[in-house]
């Protein structure tokens, strides 16, 4: 136990109440105040003042304010540096916290508070400062009150101070987070309890198609693409007839979390029906944080994602499956994925106390498709800093040439399949009122979000598709990420000419708008657990679009060009103006409204539209 000199700590506390100028002491800055107990946890009792806690200061990254500029330099098709992706080492070096930040925190602890410098540990890379203190000492240092919290189910206990904490101004600007404080992380889950009473818990991975019906195989033959979407329907809809040529040089992946798993027998049965050349082909499973495809589990999501990407690309392109497990600790699901690609995230992660074990040791695929959502996108003190950091990390990885694709959600203008809306500032599930709520990661501007379309009943693949009606396709405007200039013209055209006259509190007109594009999302045929089923969701749309991006990457590599990387500025540019089938029919209801109507040009249900693959390929192959 570290015995901190009480006198000096009392002085530090004094600084909170005495005006800064009178003592020449830096004023304090609040890191959250009056917050409620995070979802999934309940307040148990006040923490014992003698309990020793490991306090960890995560320092601010350098140059994060320049991330957009760095990315546009290599991803804006009008930039002379288009496609000049960064090395991973350059990314790590550029964003590493400065020595000045380390010195500011160290000096406050040692010189101002009088803590023995031997007890203050700076990690090897100089991006975190750690020390062991008692709860009483932490409360003095941080002007906070510590409590013990319990999770509803697992009986987990955590220590933290949900009401917030404060730091001297001169220290605060160098610190992103102190842990343990306001962020408790997610309760440890048992399999299948992620979705409690139909409402998503805190920071959990949610996927799984909303609809699933068994269909008799004998009836499939007679069904049109309005009733049963096969690989051939998709090829015809988007004129996608591409055979990869770059082999091992190219890579594409789907990410799957926790209990969402697949079995090879389902893939074989599906391929026997629709792509016999693939029977026996296995995806390459890369386990992250001990993720495993061993049953028990749920086959819906992974089977859908894998069947579509492998099926569309055929045997000349391998598919990687990132199978993400669950660490013992506090991580958000997407943290585990990005940390596996970027070791600096392990060091910088505010909650990495109990240990991410896969840190930068897994191969980075050129394209990663994510049919999950992790957080609602609204301003909330425990959510906002987390999603902003995760989105920045996706941006940093995009600098290396990766493309992140995500489903836009199956809840219309509400969050998740539970269609949650914001009622008087609180997220309420299954309600018919409130403001629209977006979802992360689709709302992150460095992610390409994909909405869902269907062939209208009675129509064929040569007719224009409509936004899905089987479920409302997710779309809207972020509260956490402002709109960037590459989509400004497309989105403001929609707001000005087509958006319903909702009040200013219903959706955020200045936010990043999504989805960016769309692809068929219902009724998709797969083989799941031995049976042929009709399923779908934006969960299907994302991997379909990811397969198209992978095919373009394959062609670019064959032409000695770089993979696409962050693709959004190019999608909205004049180069791709004719590369999409504009979807103009349908709506995405939610929160007691009809949501948004599809319209000519970009709209917040189907984005820029679905891909016309030959034009999409040509436009992107023409880029440097
Ligand atoms: C804090 O205490 C733990 C357990 O005794 C120890 O393993 C760890 O190294 C200590 N951390 C620091 C920064 O001194
Ligand atoms: C796919 O991966 C397997 C196993 O690593 C390898 O033998 C094969 O050549 C790869 N195929 C392609 C097209 O890259
Ligand atoms: C994960 O796997 C590693 C080795 O593969 C093992 O050492 C570790 O204990 C496992 N962790 C958990 C939480 O099962
Ligand atoms: C929201 O707050 C207002 C003002 O406090 C109140 O009149 C209204 O009933 C509340 N609405 C709901 C749905 O709770
Ligand atoms: C709307 O979005 C902007 C930009 O992202 C953000 O600063 C603002 O807080 C958001 N408004 C609300 C009500 O969430
Ligand atoms: C628009 O979509 C609705 C619902 O699927 C459908 O009934 C209608 O026929 C569609 N209209 C056109 C012009 O495709």
């Amino acid at each position: 136990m570290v015995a901190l000199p009480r006198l000096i700590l009392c002085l530090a506390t004094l600084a909170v109440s005495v005006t800064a100028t009178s003592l020449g002491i830096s004023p304090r800055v609040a890191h959250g105040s009056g917050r409620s107990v995070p979802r999934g946890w309940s307040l148990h009792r006040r923490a014992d003042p003698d309990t020793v806690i490991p306090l960890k200061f995560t320092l601010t990254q350098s140059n994060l304010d320049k991330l957009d500029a760095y990315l546009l330099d290599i991803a804006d098709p009008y930039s002379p540096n288009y496609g000049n992706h960064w090395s991973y080492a350059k990314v790590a070096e550029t964003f590493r916290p400065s020595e000045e930040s380390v010195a500011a925190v160290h000096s406050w602890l040692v010189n101002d508070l009088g803590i023995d410098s031997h007890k203050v540990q700076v990690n090897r890379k100089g991006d975190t400062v750690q020390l062991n203190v008692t709860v009483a000492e932490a409360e003095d240092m941080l002007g906070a009150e510590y409590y013990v919290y319990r999770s509803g189910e697992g009986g987990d206990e955590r220590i933290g101070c949900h009401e917030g904490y404060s730091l001297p101004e001169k220290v605060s600007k160098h610190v992103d987070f102190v842990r343990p404080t306001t962020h408790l992380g997610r309760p440890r889950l048992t399999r299948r309890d992620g979705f409690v009473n139909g409402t998503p818990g805190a920071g959990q991975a949610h996927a799984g198609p909303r609809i699933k019906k068994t269909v008799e195989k004998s009836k499939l033959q007679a069904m049109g693409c309005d009733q049963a979407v096969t690989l051939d329907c998709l090829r015809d809809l988007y004129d996608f007839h591409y055979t990869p040529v770059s082999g091992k040089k190219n890579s594409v992946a789907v990410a799957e979390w926790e209990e969402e798993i697949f079995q090879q027998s389902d893939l074989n049965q599906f391929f026997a029906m629709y792509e016999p050349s693939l029977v026996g082909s296995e995806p390459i499973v890369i386990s992250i944080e001990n993720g495993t495809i061993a049953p028990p589990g749920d086959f819906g999501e992974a089977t859908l994602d894998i069947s579509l990407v492998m099926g569309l690309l055929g045997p000349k392109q391998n598919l990687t499956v990132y199978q993400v497990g669950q660490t013992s600790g506090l991580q958000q699901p997407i943290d585990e994925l990005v940390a596996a690609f970027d070791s600096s995230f392990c060091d910088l992660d505010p909650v990495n106390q109990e240990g991410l074990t896969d840190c930068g040791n897994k191969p980075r695929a050129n394209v990663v498709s994510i049919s999950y959502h992790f957080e609602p996108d609204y301003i909330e003190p425990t959510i906002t800093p987390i999603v902003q950091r995760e989105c920045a990390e996706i941006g940093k990885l995009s600098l290396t040439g990766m493309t992140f694709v995500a489903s836009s959600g199956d809840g219309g203008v509400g969050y998740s399949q539970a269609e949650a809306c914001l009622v008087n500032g609180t997220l309420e599930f299954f309600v018919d009122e409130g403001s629209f709520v977006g979802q992360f990661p689709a709302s992150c501007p460095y992610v390409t979000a994909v909405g869902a379309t269907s062939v209208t009943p009675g129509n064929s693949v040569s007719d224009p598709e409509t936004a899905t009606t089987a479920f409302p396709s997710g779309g809207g405007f972020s509260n956490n990420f402002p709109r960037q200039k590459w989509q400004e013209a497309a989105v403001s055209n929609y707001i000005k000419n087509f958006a319903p006259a909702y009040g200013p509190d219903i959706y955020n007109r200045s936010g990043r708008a999504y989805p960016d594009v769309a692809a068929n999302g219902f009724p998709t045929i797969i083989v799941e657990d031995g049976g042929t089923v009709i399923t779908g969701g934006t969960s299907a749309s994302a991997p379909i679009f990811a397969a198209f991006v992978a095919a373009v990457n394959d062609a670019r590599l064959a032409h000695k060009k770089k993979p696409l990387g962050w693709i959004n500025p190019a999608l909205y540019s004049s180069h791709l103006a004719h590369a999409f089938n504009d979807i103009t029919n349908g709506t995405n209801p939610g929160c007691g409204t009809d949501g948004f109507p599809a319209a000519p040009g970009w709209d917040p249900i189907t984005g820029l539209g679905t891909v016309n693959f030959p034009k999409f390929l040509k436009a992107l192959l023409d880029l440097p």
Side-chain angles (χ1 to χ4, degrees):
M1 188 190 295
V2 183
L4 292 179
R6 296 296 303 175
L7 181 70
I8 293 180
L9 280 170
C10 288
L11 262 180
T13 314
L14 205 63
V16 182
S17 45
V18 177
T19 58
T21 40
S22 67
L23 281 178
I25 290 171
S26 181
R28 294 181 74 96
V29 176
H31 285 234
S33 56
R35 299 172 174 189
S36 50
V37 175
R39 276 180 301 151
W41 295 94
S42 59
L43 199 59
H44 179 47
R45 61 177 167 83
R46 198 80 157 77
D48 178 349
D50 293 330
T51 301
V52 176
I53 53 174
L55 213 55
K56 178 169 169 177
F57 295 79
T58 302
L59 306 182
T60 51
Q61 301 182 62
S62 304
N63 298 314
L64 216 46
D65 56 328
K66 303 194 192 91
L67 177 59
D68 280 341
Y70 295 149
L71 272 163
L72 282 172
D73 185 49
I74 59 160
D76 177 346
Y78 302 102
S79 164
N81 287 324
Y82 182 83
N84 289 340
H85 303 140
W86 292 21
S87 68
Y88 170 70
K90 181 175 173 187
V91 172
E93 193 48 45
T94 302
F95 297 99
R96 176 164 300 153
S98 68
E99 283 169 24
E100 186 198 349
S101 293
V102 181
V105 176
H106 195 268
S107 156
W108 172 57
L109 294 169
V110 174
N111 301 335
D112 296 9
L113 301 184
I115 296 167
D116 183 343
S117 71
H118 291 109
K119 291 176 176 145
V120 180
Q121 205 176 73
V122 179
N123 80 336
R124 191 167 39 88
K125 293 187 192 143
D127 43 30
T128 58
V129 175
Q130 280 172 271
L131 72 166
N132 288 332
V133 293
T134 65
V135 162
E137 290 160 349
E139 291 187 338
D140 282 346
M141 288 168 77
L142 302 175
E145 283 190 356
Y146 273 84
Y147 296 89
V148 175
Y149 306 82
R150 277 191 175 164
S151 80
E153 297 138 65
D156 264 2
E157 286 199 346
R158 298 267 157 81
I159 279 186
C161 53
H162 69 279
E163 293 164 324
Y165 60 99
S166 66
L167 290 169
E169 191 176 52
K170 64 179 184 183
V171 176
S172 177
K173 62 179 179 224
H174 298 287
V175 175
D176 260 1
F177 299 98
V178 181
R179 208 204 82 80
T181 55
T182 51
H183 183 69
L184 300 179
R186 56 179 173 155
R188 202 157 312 175
L189 299 176
T190 52
R191 281 187 171 230
R192 302 265 4 116
D193 65 0
F195 217 74
V196 183
N197 301 327
T199 64
Q204 290 155 7
H206 292 288
R210 186 167 169 163
I211 297 162
K212 182 168 93 181
K213 336 190 259 242
T214 312
V215 56
E216 277 175 52
K217 228 165 122 177
S218 58
K219 298 211 169 123
L220 280 172
Q221 209 77 43
M223 292 164 87
C225 297
D226 55 335
Q227 293 173 297
V229 176
T230 61
L231 295 173
D232 278 339
C233 291
L234 295 171
R235 291 186 187 112
D236 291 346
L237 272 169
Y238 307 124
D239 208 354
F240 181 75
H241 306 279
Y242 184 84
T243 305
V245 292
S246 293
K248 283 184 182 157
K249 275 192 252 161
N250 195 22
S251 52
V252 54
V254 295
E256 307 296 341
W257 272 266
E258 297 166 21
E259 82 269 21
E260 301 297 340
I261 59 175
F262 73 96
Q263 45 192 2
Q264 186 64 37
S265 56
D266 285 343
L267 302 183
N268 289 344
Q269 202 178 319
F270 174 77
F271 294 140
M273 289 162 71
Y274 298 115
E275 186 53 69
S277 66
L278 279 168
V279 173
S281 293
E282 298 178 7
I284 299 168
V285 177
I286 297 200
S287 169
I288 294 174
E289 297 300 341
N290 292 5
T292 165
I293 59 166
D298 189 303
F299 301 114
E301 185 62 62
T303 311
L304 179 64
D305 301 348
I306 296 167
S307 303
L308 291 171
V309 179
M310 285 182 73
L312 286 170
L313 292 172
K316 297 279 167 55
Q317 174 63 59
N318 277 324
L319 171 70
T320 296
V321 176
Y322 294 120
Q323 192 72 42
V324 189
Q326 193 181 1
T327 55
S328 58
L330 306 163
Q331 281 72 32
Q332 306 286 111
I334 203 164
D335 292 358
E336 298 165 352
L337 180 70
V338 296
F341 304 140
D342 178 6
S343 68
S344 77
F345 195 79
C346 286
D347 302 316
L348 296 172
D349 184 3
V351 295
N352 188 23
Q353 203 81 35
E354 292 168 30
L356 288 159
T357 52
D358 285 322
C359 298
N361 58 340
K362 301 294 175 181
R364 291 187 286 275
N366 293 334
V367 181
V368 181
S369 183
I370 299 173
S371 286
Y372 293 72
H373 54 92
F374 304 107
E375 294 287 355
D377 183 302
Y378 68 107
I379 302 285
E380 202 276 341
T382 59
I383 295 174
T384 294
I386 300 286
V387 298
Q388 288 185 343
R389 194 176 187 101
E390 287 168 342
C391 181
E393 182 61 28
I394 290 172
K396 285 162 60 185
L397 287 166
S398 301
L399 278 171
T400 70
M402 294 178 78
T403 310
F404 287 86
V405 175
S407 53
S408 71
D410 300 351
V413 290
Y415 166 64
S416 107
Q417 295 173 358
E419 300 184 15
C421 309
L422 211 52
V423 181
N424 278 354
T426 307
L427 195 66
E428 305 272 5
F429 296 90
F430 302 107
V431 287
D432 287 334
E433 59 174 336
S435 310
F436 303 165
V437 180
Q439 72 175 39
F440 180 83
S443 65
C444 169
Y446 312 127
V447 166
T448 302
V450 191
T453 54
S454 290
V455 174
T456 308
N459 281 7
S460 77
V461 291
S462 52
D463 299 309
E465 290 184 86
T466 65
T468 51
T469 50
F471 59 89
S473 185
F477 296 77
S478 170
N479 287 310
N480 281 299
F481 306 104
R483 183 148 67 250
Q484 300 193 355
K485 68 169 193 272
W486 40 268
Q487 64 168 187
E488 181 55 39
V491 176
S492 54
N493 171 62
Y494 181 84
I495 293 176
K496 184 160 160 257
N497 297 312
F498 303 106
Y502 295 128
D505 53 331
I506 296 296
Y507 73 96
N508 196 328
R509 284 160 179 72
S510 67
R512 180 283 200 263
Y514 72 96
D516 300 295
V517 291
N520 189 284
F522 192 81
T524 321
I525 296 293
I526 61 168
V527 172
E528 185 184 329
D529 214 6
T532 310
V533 299
I534 287 181
T535 178
T538 52
S539 279
S541 311
I544 292 168
F545 182 76
F548 297 162
V549 175
V552 174
N553 281 343
D554 177 272
R556 284 179 58 87
L557 289 165
H559 282 75
K560 309 237 174 321
K561 293 184 177 186
K562 297 280 182 54
L564 292 164
W566 185 43
I567 195 179
N568 289 0
L571 294 180
Y572 288 81
S573 75
S574 61
H575 295 276
L576 272 83
H578 304 290
F580 299 102
N581 309 305
D582 194 2
I583 308 297
T584 57
N585 187 35
T587 57
N588 58 354
C591 306
T593 73
D594 287 336
F596 293 106
W602 180 91
D603 59 65
I605 323 174
T606 61
L608 296 161
T610 64
V611 165
N612 175 319
F613 189 73
K615 291 180 181 169
F616 186 73
L617 174 65
K618 177 166 191 317
L620 291 167
L621 202 49
D622 281 349
L623 294 180

